[in-house]
Every structure is written in structure tokens, then in C-alpha cells.
């Protein structure tokens, strides 16, 4: 390509899983920054509706494609987000979940290698499993059951991390690995079974709030705008910053505290009911984000209360449409 063409070319960015919850916010932010975005999705959990007006944007292209199949396109950056994220969805077809993480990573890394693109992997706090170290730093190797119901997701994501680091060492592919902790916000699938969507929908519908176990297990919830900001900072960080790097909100809440906050903010009078704890449900989870603070100059800005105040109207609108 001549230097003149290169000078005037905008960054072409591939987002796999771009029609999903996090991917749709990421596509929007990238378009707002003036980039060209190719969104690739098989619509297993994502939907065109999440992309709204982007579908008519001249710099945006949507392609129905499954990342377990090779993909030949020309791009400068790849955000690899394709993978169902909620336990209900990823356990629906566990073999396909592992294939999506592993074959998907191989294909996207092969693509990155061929076109010399920088590639970011959406990994997960699930690589830490049910952690015995708290809070979790990137040096912790995790406590993961390799043969349980969550393993297709956890081990698939762990293997994808291995592939990223081997393509980096063996083929000098420019990689970035983000370990994302629980994230929530508009465009979450209202029936994906995740705790924030479940509790808000139950509260709005006046149905019982289902606490699994005693509700004393903890999670740390990050608002999606903060997370997308972090993903973009990581992608554009210096080449020697490969990660893995924890991205999430370090404020830790018990699931019961979350339920009570949702009740307060929705004004709902739903009762709390207790249900059995799913197998291998992590007891506690909170990211140590020291690395993200120093290397990306990033930390979350949106509190759980503020984030829920922004997310609840989205779930209300889903109910009105629905
Ligand atoms: P999501 O289910 O809303 O989005 C995933 C998207 O990937 C969907 O649009 C789905 O249709 C698509 N997809 C699934 N399999 C595919 C395949 N084989 N080929 C092409 N597209 C496929 O989930 P999300 O919450 O937006 O998660 C996005 C990414 O972030 C996932 O990789 C997930 O593992 C990771 N992550 C999310 C969280 C969270 O709390 N939301 C936490 C940790 C990691
Ligand atoms: N691949 C792809 N798009 C490309 C280049 C490669 O989907 O632009 C796929 C390719 O089909 C292969 C995988 O990525 O299945 C890994 O590619 P790599 O070149 O690393 O390995 P090889 O082709 O030598 O097995
Ligand atoms: N959870 C709950 N009630 C629900 C859904 C989830 O108590 O209706 C609990 C679940 O057992 C887990 C926590 O909330 O301890 C977070 O669950 P989620 O599925 O959102 O994410 P993950 O377990 O992957 O962190």
C-alpha cells in the first residue's frame, strides 16, 4: 500500500461479539471516535437491536459470522469479545462454548498474525475460579474445577489466554489480555440469568428476588462505560503492556446488599427468597486493579448506585416494548 493511502486511512477495527452487551457499547464508542468498525457476531446471545442507529452509519459494518470458522478480512485492531458470558447461556451448549473460546482465539490470532493487527482478548475473572486469594491479583493462578458445569467457560478462557501468550512468544503477535470482572449496564440480555439483570427484572415485575445460597457471597460490579474505557486504553497502551490485566470495580458487595439496593432504587416491594447455590459458585470476588491504575491510568468512576440508576431505565424500556 502506498504511503499516501496509508496516511489517509482510518483505523479499521474488528469487534467480535460486537452485537452483545459489552460489544455494542464498544462499537458505539469506536464509531464516536471516528474509526471504521467491522462487527462480527453469530447472534447467539447478541442482537441487531443492540446496535440501533449504528446499523445505518457509513463507517459501521455488521457481518453474521461464527468465530469458530476462519475469517479473512483486513483490519488494524481486533477486540475478541465473542463468547456467551452468562452462566445460563454458556452452559446451554458447553461444547460450543469451549469451541468459541479456543477455536475462536486460534482463528482471530491467525488473522492478527497474517495482517499484523493488534489483538485484545476479553478474558475473565473466572480464570481465578473460586479464589483462595482475596482480592485477586494477576499473579494468582486460580482455583478452577476442570470438569464442572462452569469449566467450559473457565477452561476455554484459560486456554485462550495460553494461545494469546504463545502467539506473542512464538509469532510476535501484538496481544492485550483483559481479565474482566462482573460488568453490568444497558443492553444486558434481560433474561440472561445474571444477577443484576435478574434482580432488576424481578423487582420491576414485582416477582420474588432469587438469592442463591445465603446471599453472603460477594461480587464487584463495574458499570459498562467504565469497562469500555479501560478496554480502549488497554488496546492503545504501549506494545510491551500485554496484560493479563484486571479490569473491574474493586467495590465489593454481598449479593444480598445488591438485592437491597435494587429494591430501594426501583421502589419495589418484592420479597427476597433463597434458592440453592449453583455448583462451583465462587464465594468471593474482587479485583486488585493496581496494575490498571498505574499502566492505564484508569479506575472506575461510576458507583454501583449511580450505575444501577442508569441501567434500571433500560430494563424498564425493555418491559414496555415487550
Ligand atoms: P454477551 O453474551 O452479551 O455477548 C457475547 C457476544 O458474542 C454475543 O453478541 C454473541 O452472540 C456473540 N457470540 C457468541 N458466540 C459467538 C461465536 N461463536 N461467533 C461469533 N459471535 C459469538 O456477553 P458480554 O457480557 O457482552 O461479554 C462479552 C465478552 O466479555 C465475552 O467474551 C465475555 O466472556 C467477556 N466477559 C464479560 C463479563 C461480564 O460481566 N459481562 C465478565 C467477564 C468477561
Ligand atoms: N486464519 C483466519 N484468518 C486469517 C488467517 C488465519 O481465520 O486471516 C485462521 C486459519 O484458518 C487457521 C488459524 O487462523 O485455522 C490459525 O492460523 P495460523 O496461521 O496461526 O495457523 P495455521 O494456518 O498454520 O494452522
Ligand atoms: N445470583 C443470585 N441470584 C440470581 C442470579 C445470580 O443470587 O438470580 C448469584 C450467583 O449465585 C452468584 C452471583 O449472584 O453468586 C453472580 O452471579 P452471575 O451469574 O451474575 O455471575 P458470576 O457467578 O459469573 O459472577
Amino acid at each position: 500500500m502506498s504511503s499516501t493511502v496509508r496516511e489517509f486511512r482510518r483505523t479499521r477495527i474488528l469487534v467480535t461479539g460486537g452485537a452483545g452487551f459489552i460489544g455494542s457499547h464498544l462499537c458505539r464508542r469506536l464509531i464516536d471516535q471516528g474509526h471504521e468498525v467491522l462487527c462480527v457476531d453469530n447472534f447467539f446471545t447478541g442482537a441487531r437491536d443492540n446496535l440501533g442507529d449504528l446499523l445505518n452509519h457509513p463507517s459501521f459494518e455488521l457481518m453474521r459470522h461464527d468465530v469458530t470458522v476462519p475469517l479473512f478480512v483486513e483490519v488494524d485492531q481486533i477486540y475478541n469479545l465473542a463468547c456467551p458470558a452468562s452462566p445460563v447461556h454458556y452452559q446451554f451448549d458447553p461444547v460450543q462454548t469451549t469451541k468459541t473460546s479456543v477455536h475462536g482465539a486460534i482463528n482471530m490470532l491467525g488473522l492478527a498474525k497474517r495482517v499484523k493487527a493488534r489483538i485484545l482478548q476479553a478474558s475473565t475473572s473466572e480464570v481465578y475460579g473460586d479464589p483462595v486469594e482475596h482480592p485477586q491479583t494477576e499473579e494468582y493462578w486460580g482455583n478452577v474445577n476442570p470438569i464442572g458445569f462452569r469449566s467450559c467457560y473457565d477452561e476455554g478462557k484459560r486456554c485462550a489466554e495460553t494461545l494469546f501468550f504463545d502467539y506473542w512468544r512464538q509469532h510476535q503477535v501484538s496481544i492485550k489480555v483483559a481479565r474482566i470482572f462482573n460488568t453490568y449496564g444497558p443492553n444486558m440480555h434481560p433474561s440472561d440469568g445474571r444477577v443484576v439483570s435478574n434482580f432488576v427484572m424481578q423487582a420491576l415485575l414485582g416477582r420474588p428476588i432469587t438469592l442463591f445460597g445465603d446471599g453472603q457471597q460477594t461480587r464487584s460490579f463495574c458499570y459498562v462505560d467504565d469497562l469500555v474505557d479501560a478496554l480502549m486504553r488497554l488496546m492503545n497502551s504501549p506494545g510491551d503492556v500485554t496484560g493479563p490485566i484486571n479490569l473491574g470495580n474493586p467495590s465489593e458487595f454481598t449479593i444480598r446488599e445488591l438485592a437491597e439496593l435494587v429494591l430501594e432504587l426501583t421502589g419495589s416491594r418484592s420479597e427476597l427468597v433463597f434458592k440453592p447455590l449453583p455448583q462451583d459458585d465462587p464465594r468471593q470476588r474482587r479485583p486488585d486493579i493496581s496494575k490498571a491504575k498505574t499502566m492505564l491510568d484508569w479506575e472506575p468512576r461510576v458507583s454501583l448506585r449511580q450505575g444501577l440508576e442508569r441501567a434500571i431505565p433500560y430494563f424498564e424500556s425493555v418491559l414496555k416494548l415487550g
Side-chain angles (χ1 to χ4, degrees), residues 101-274:
S101 280
V102 177
H103 293 180
I106 291 173
N107 287 330
M108 292 308 108
L109 285 160
L111 169 61
K113 186 179 92 178
R114 181 179 64 79
V115 301
K116 297 191 172 33
R118 181 172 275 198
I119 179 165
L120 181 149
Q121 168 68 357
S123 191
T124 168
S125 53
E126 295 285 335
V127 300
Y128 301 123
D130 191 2
V132 294
E133 272 186 25
H134 195 72
Q136 292 82 53
T137 66
E138 291 85 350
E139 282 68 41
Y140 177 51
W141 288 356
N143 177 35
V144 176
N145 176 358
I147 57 166
F149 291 112
R150 296 175 83 102
S151 310
C152 58
Y153 185 75
D154 302 10
E155 297 289 18
K157 290 285 189 179
R158 286 170 68 95
C159 183
E161 287 200 10
T162 307
L163 285 160
F164 268 68
F165 277 85
D166 283 334
Y167 268 79
W168 174 62
R169 279 186 288 257
Q170 201 174 327
H171 299 302
Q172 293 74 53
V173 171
S174 175
I175 62 155
K176 307 280 175 185
V177 174
R179 289 189 180 149
I180 303 170
F181 284 64
N182 297 63
T183 301
Y184 69 99
N187 293 2
M188 285 184 93
H189 197 296
S191 55
D192 68 4
R194 284 187 265 193
V195 70
V196 172
S197 38
N198 263 17
F199 284 5
V200 173
M201 291 299 283
Q202 288 163 344
L204 293 176
L205 290 164
R207 295 184 183 151
I209 307 279
T210 52
L211 290 164
F212 298 164
D214 58 8
Q216 292 307 305
Q217 70 271 38
T218 68
R219 292 293 187 273
S220 309
F221 299 99
C222 187
Y223 189 66
V224 64
D225 288 358
D226 281 334
L227 195 269
V228 166
D229 182 29
L231 292 176
M232 290 169 63
R233 280 172 189 252
L234 177 58
M235 177 62 100
N236 295 298
S237 60
D240 60 344
V241 179
T242 56
I245 192 155
N246 289 340
L247 301 179
N249 192 320
S251 306
E252 186 177 359
F253 294 84
T254 66
I255 295 304
R256 187 178 180 122
E257 285 169 337
L258 172 71
E260 281 162 0
L261 188 53
V262 167
L263 286 177
E264 179 199 323
L265 295 176
T266 53
S268 169
R269 297 165 78 172
S270 290
E271 55 169 342
L272 302 183
V273 296
F274 293 86

Side-chain angles (χ1 to χ4, degrees), residues 16-23 40-47 50 65-68 80-86 89 96 100 121-126 153 157 179-184 187-189 192 194:
T16 76
F21 158 51
I22 296 175
V40 158
D41 206 294
N42 71 350
F43 302 119
F44 174 49
T45 52
N50 286 338
H65 176 82
D66 192 308
V67 293
T68 60
N80 188 34
L81 271 59
C83 185
S86 99
H89 288 154
Q96 177 64 17
T100 292
Q121 168 68 357
S123 191
T124 168
S125 53
E126 295 285 335
Y153 185 75
K157 290 285 189 179
R179 289 189 180 149
I180 303 170
F181 284 64
N182 297 63
T183 301
Y184 69 99
N187 293 2
M188 285 184 93
H189 197 296
D192 68 4
R194 284 187 265 193

